[in-house]
Amino acid sequence: MSDIRARILSVGTYVPEKVLTNAYFESILDTSDEWIMTRTGIRERRVVDRDNPMSAAEMGCRAARAAMERANVSADSIDGIIVATFTPDNFFPSTACRMQADLGCRDAFAFDMSAACAGFVYALTVANNMIVSGQAKTILVVGSEVISKTLDWSDRGTCILFGDGAGVVVLQADGVKSKGIQSCYLSSDGSMGDILKLPAWGSERYLSMKGSEVFKHAVRMMSDASVKAAKRAGLSIGDIDLLIPHQANIRIIQSIADMLSVPMDKVVTNLDRYGNTSSASIPLALEEAWTAGRVRDGSKVLFVGLGGGFTVGSAVCII
Ligand code: UT7
């Protein structure tokens, strides 16, 4: 392996201003704040304006500008943009190309990736490999989703769960081997594609999910992926300072923490305020933990996500 490591210099995020509380869903559906809180842990979520929706590219740009300012990197120094999203404005041009133009990242390569809620870890892994191989020095890794436009607002089993938002990390080459991304693990199981999906064509273009089935696979697959990434980094789960899982359901996160014997004070959760933002959830949680001082120089952070496909990914990063 090369001596180059890819370090996370900074993270930036953006969430729309509009807040949908559980009380809103009580007013349109047969549901209750009590059910949503106890079954999911979600109190509220942010959504774009339905009449004038912000795009995944626009949210991604806002998050990217915040991340670039924090890292003190200019648009000119960005070599590439990788966007994880299942809610692009177009099949093409990609969300990443739109961002490349809007941010003014001259000559940067740009492409989108589809791995649903594991998208951020997939994009981070690809970016890491491009940096370690010397193909790029600085990459924006983006998770940006406008999930509200994919929801069936009469389906209480799905529409209460999701929110919109974006998160971006600046990943840069560094020669310090003890810092940066230490390991990545990716896997998929396409045989379970039908239990969580969003068709691209046809009349029923809504996100659908068999929630309880997804739940049990999510716990098993994310726990397993966490152990694998730690092992590839030469660490045990006990060495990890902070676990940042995809934010889908507080009971899933607690079950993973239980299976891994990780105390909840080492786990970052913010889904109470944002719901499930798919590929944006891990950078949103990272940003919150970093701002709160929970991420420090040398912190060993484990990211893990699972999404429709099924896709699963995990990575260990030393900050
Ligand atoms: O991000 C990608 C991965 N996604 C996930 O990881 C999500 C995984 N799944 C989940 O988070 C949970 O399965 C849900 C929160 C979606 C559902 O919780 P659950 O405990 O698995 O409930 P369930 O689907 O087994 O449904 C239990 C009952 C059903 O009623 P019956 O059939 O028992 O009478 C549902 O119709 O709860 C009902 N229900 C609701 N009741 C009130 C489902 N949604 C609601 C609701 N309000 N919003």
Side-chain angles (χ1 to χ4, degrees), residues 68 72-81 100 102-108 140:
M68 288 159 68
N72 200 18
V73 296
S74 64
D76 264 353
S77 64
I78 303 297
D79 299 316
I81 303 172
Q100 181 271 336
D102 291 351
L103 293 171
C105 299
R106 231 174 344 129
D107 298 334
L140 297 179

mmCIF file of all heavy atoms in Angstrom, residues 68 72-81 100 102-108 140:
data_model
loop_
_atom_site.group_PDB
_atom_site.id
_atom_site.type_symbol
_atom_site.label_atom_id
_atom_site.label_comp_id
_atom_site.label_asym_id
_atom_site.label_seq_id
_atom_site.Cartn_x
_atom_site.Cartn_y
_atom_site.Cartn_z
ATOM 1 N N MET A 68 -15.381 23.788 2.311
ATOM 2 C CA MET A 68 -14.169 24.357 1.692
ATOM 3 C C MET A 68 -13.647 25.552 2.492
ATOM 4 O O MET A 68 -12.443 25.734 2.637
ATOM 5 C CB MET A 68 -14.471 24.760 0.241
ATOM 6 C CG MET A 68 -14.626 23.543 -0.680
ATOM 7 S SD MET A 68 -15.544 23.914 -2.185
ATOM 8 C CE MET A 68 -14.413 24.984 -3.033
ATOM 9 N N ASN A 72 -10.154 25.745 4.282
ATOM 10 C CA ASN A 72 -9.352 26.769 3.620
ATOM 11 C C ASN A 72 -8.800 26.263 2.281
ATOM 12 O O ASN A 72 -7.617 26.443 1.987
ATOM 13 C CB ASN A 72 -8.225 27.233 4.555
ATOM 14 C CG ASN A 72 -7.683 28.584 4.139
ATOM 15 O OD1 ASN A 72 -8.353 29.305 3.386
ATOM 16 N ND2 ASN A 72 -6.481 28.912 4.580
ATOM 17 N N VAL A 73 -9.639 25.598 1.505
ATOM 18 C CA VAL A 73 -9.224 25.168 0.168
ATOM 19 C C VAL A 73 -10.046 25.946 -0.871
ATOM 20 O O VAL A 73 -11.231 26.218 -0.670
ATOM 21 C CB VAL A 73 -9.391 23.637 -0.066
ATOM 22 C CG1 VAL A 73 -8.493 22.827 0.853
ATOM 23 C CG2 VAL A 73 -10.828 23.190 0.060
ATOM 24 N N SER A 74 -9.403 26.297 -1.963
ATOM 25 C CA SER A 74 -10.078 27.077 -2.999
ATOM 26 C C SER A 74 -10.727 26.133 -4.009
ATOM 27 O O SER A 74 -10.343 24.955 -4.122
ATOM 28 C CB SER A 74 -9.054 27.956 -3.726
ATOM 29 O OG SER A 74 -8.139 27.110 -4.385
ATOM 30 N N ALA A 75 -11.673 26.657 -4.764
ATOM 31 C CA ALA A 75 -12.346 25.852 -5.792
ATOM 32 C C ALA A 75 -11.339 25.305 -6.805
ATOM 33 O O ALA A 75 -11.465 24.179 -7.282
ATOM 34 C CB ALA A 75 -13.403 26.700 -6.495
ATOM 35 N N ASP A 76 -10.326 26.100 -7.097
ATOM 36 C CA ASP A 76 -9.305 25.702 -8.071
ATOM 37 C C ASP A 76 -8.502 24.482 -7.635
ATOM 38 O O ASP A 76 -7.951 23.770 -8.478
ATOM 39 C CB ASP A 76 -8.315 26.860 -8.281
ATOM 40 C CG ASP A 76 -8.708 27.667 -9.489
ATOM 41 O OD1 ASP A 76 -9.641 27.213 -10.192
ATOM 42 O OD2 ASP A 76 -8.095 28.719 -9.714
ATOM 43 N N SER A 77 -8.400 24.278 -6.315
ATOM 44 C CA SER A 77 -7.564 23.162 -5.830
ATOM 45 C C SER A 77 -8.339 21.846 -5.725
ATOM 46 O O SER A 77 -7.781 20.825 -5.332
ATOM 47 C CB SER A 77 -6.931 23.518 -4.481
ATOM 48 O OG SER A 77 -7.944 23.679 -3.523
ATOM 49 N N ILE A 78 -9.619 21.865 -6.077
ATOM 50 C CA ILE A 78 -10.416 20.628 -6.025
ATOM 51 C C ILE A 78 -10.173 19.823 -7.315
ATOM 52 O O ILE A 78 -10.422 20.312 -8.414
ATOM 53 C CB ILE A 78 -11.933 20.941 -5.878
ATOM 54 C CG1 ILE A 78 -12.211 21.803 -4.628
ATOM 55 C CG2 ILE A 78 -12.761 19.652 -5.870
ATOM 56 C CD1 ILE A 78 -11.866 21.184 -3.306
ATOM 57 N N ASP A 79 -9.720 18.595 -7.174
ATOM 58 C CA ASP A 79 -9.449 17.751 -8.351
ATOM 59 C C ASP A 79 -10.676 16.972 -8.803
ATOM 60 O O ASP A 79 -10.750 16.537 -9.961
ATOM 61 C CB ASP A 79 -8.353 16.731 -8.028
ATOM 62 C CG ASP A 79 -7.050 17.398 -7.665
ATOM 63 O OD1 ASP A 79 -6.672 18.351 -8.360
ATOM 64 O OD2 ASP A 79 -6.431 16.979 -6.664
ATOM 65 N N GLY A 80 -11.590 16.716 -7.864
ATOM 66 C CA GLY A 80 -12.751 15.910 -8.242
ATOM 67 C C GLY A 80 -13.905 16.050 -7.273
ATOM 68 O O GLY A 80 -13.711 16.420 -6.110
ATOM 69 N N ILE A 81 -15.101 15.743 -7.780
ATOM 70 C CA ILE A 81 -16.318 15.808 -6.960
ATOM 71 C C ILE A 81 -17.079 14.503 -7.163
ATOM 72 O O ILE A 81 -17.398 14.132 -8.297
ATOM 73 C CB ILE A 81 -17.210 16.997 -7.392
ATOM 74 C CG1 ILE A 81 -16.432 18.314 -7.299
ATOM 75 C CG2 ILE A 81 -18.485 17.059 -6.542
ATOM 76 C CD1 ILE A 81 -17.181 19.506 -7.889
ATOM 77 N N GLN A 100 -19.845 21.080 -9.973
ATOM 78 C CA GLN A 100 -18.528 21.492 -10.495
ATOM 79 C C GLN A 100 -18.634 22.882 -11.134
ATOM 80 O O GLN A 100 -17.804 23.763 -10.890
ATOM 81 C CB GLN A 100 -18.031 20.450 -11.514
ATOM 82 C CG GLN A 100 -16.670 20.717 -12.127
ATOM 83 C CD GLN A 100 -16.757 21.560 -13.389
ATOM 84 O OE1 GLN A 100 -17.800 21.585 -14.053
ATOM 85 N NE2 GLN A 100 -15.693 22.254 -13.699
ATOM 86 N N ASP A 102 -21.138 25.150 -10.663
ATOM 87 C CA ASP A 102 -21.590 26.184 -9.720
ATOM 88 C C ASP A 102 -20.506 26.578 -8.717
ATOM 89 O O ASP A 102 -20.439 27.723 -8.282
ATOM 90 C CB ASP A 102 -22.847 25.716 -8.977
ATOM 91 C CG ASP A 102 -24.052 25.651 -9.911
ATOM 92 O OD1 ASP A 102 -23.929 26.129 -11.068
ATOM 93 O OD2 ASP A 102 -25.097 25.121 -9.515
ATOM 94 N N LEU A 103 -19.672 25.620 -8.348
ATOM 95 C CA LEU A 103 -18.597 25.933 -7.387
ATOM 96 C C LEU A 103 -17.370 26.522 -8.087
ATOM 97 O O LEU A 103 -16.496 27.074 -7.447
ATOM 98 C CB LEU A 103 -18.166 24.659 -6.628
ATOM 99 C CG LEU A 103 -19.194 24.028 -5.680
ATOM 100 C CD1 LEU A 103 -18.694 22.668 -5.190
ATOM 101 C CD2 LEU A 103 -19.478 24.937 -4.484
ATOM 102 N N GLY A 104 -17.314 26.369 -9.412
ATOM 103 C CA GLY A 104 -16.165 26.878 -10.164
ATOM 104 C C GLY A 104 -14.913 26.033 -9.967
ATOM 105 O O GLY A 104 -13.795 26.569 -9.929
ATOM 106 N N CYS A 105 -15.096 24.718 -9.838
ATOM 107 C CA CYS A 105 -13.931 23.818 -9.665
ATOM 108 C C CYS A 105 -13.410 23.444 -11.047
ATOM 109 O O CYS A 105 -13.751 22.381 -11.597
ATOM 110 C CB CYS A 105 -14.329 22.563 -8.888
ATOM 111 S SG CYS A 105 -14.934 22.905 -7.257
ATOM 112 N N ARG A 106 -12.607 24.340 -11.597
ATOM 113 C CA ARG A 106 -12.146 24.205 -12.977
ATOM 114 C C ARG A 106 -11.446 22.881 -13.239
ATOM 115 O O ARG A 106 -10.563 22.486 -12.479
ATOM 116 C CB ARG A 106 -11.191 25.354 -13.307
ATOM 117 C CG ARG A 106 -11.579 26.054 -14.574
ATOM 118 C CD ARG A 106 -10.753 27.283 -14.883
ATOM 119 N NE ARG A 106 -9.976 27.830 -13.784
ATOM 120 C CZ ARG A 106 -8.679 28.102 -13.887
ATOM 121 N NH1 ARG A 106 -8.026 27.847 -14.988
ATOM 122 N NH2 ARG A 106 -8.029 28.631 -12.859
ATOM 123 N N ASP A 107 -11.861 22.159 -14.272
ATOM 124 C CA ASP A 107 -11.232 20.911 -14.721
ATOM 125 C C ASP A 107 -11.387 19.732 -13.763
ATOM 126 O O ASP A 107 -10.808 18.672 -13.985
ATOM 127 C CB ASP A 107 -9.725 21.095 -15.008
ATOM 128 C CG ASP A 107 -9.482 22.089 -16.117
ATOM 129 O OD1 ASP A 107 -10.383 22.242 -16.964
ATOM 130 O OD2 ASP A 107 -8.408 22.735 -16.130
ATOM 131 N N ALA A 108 -12.131 19.923 -12.669
ATOM 132 C CA ALA A 108 -12.313 18.801 -11.729
ATOM 133 C C ALA A 108 -13.154 17.709 -12.403
ATOM 134 O O ALA A 108 -14.091 18.017 -13.141
ATOM 135 C CB ALA A 108 -13.014 19.286 -10.466
ATOM 136 N N LEU A 140 -13.943 16.439 -3.195
ATOM 137 C CA LEU A 140 -15.149 16.703 -2.400
ATOM 138 C C LEU A 140 -16.007 15.442 -2.434
ATOM 139 O O LEU A 140 -16.394 14.979 -3.508
ATOM 140 C CB LEU A 140 -15.960 17.863 -2.992
ATOM 141 C CG LEU A 140 -15.301 19.245 -3.023
ATOM 142 C CD1 LEU A 140 -16.263 20.265 -3.660
ATOM 143 C CD2 LEU A 140 -14.910 19.700 -1.621
#
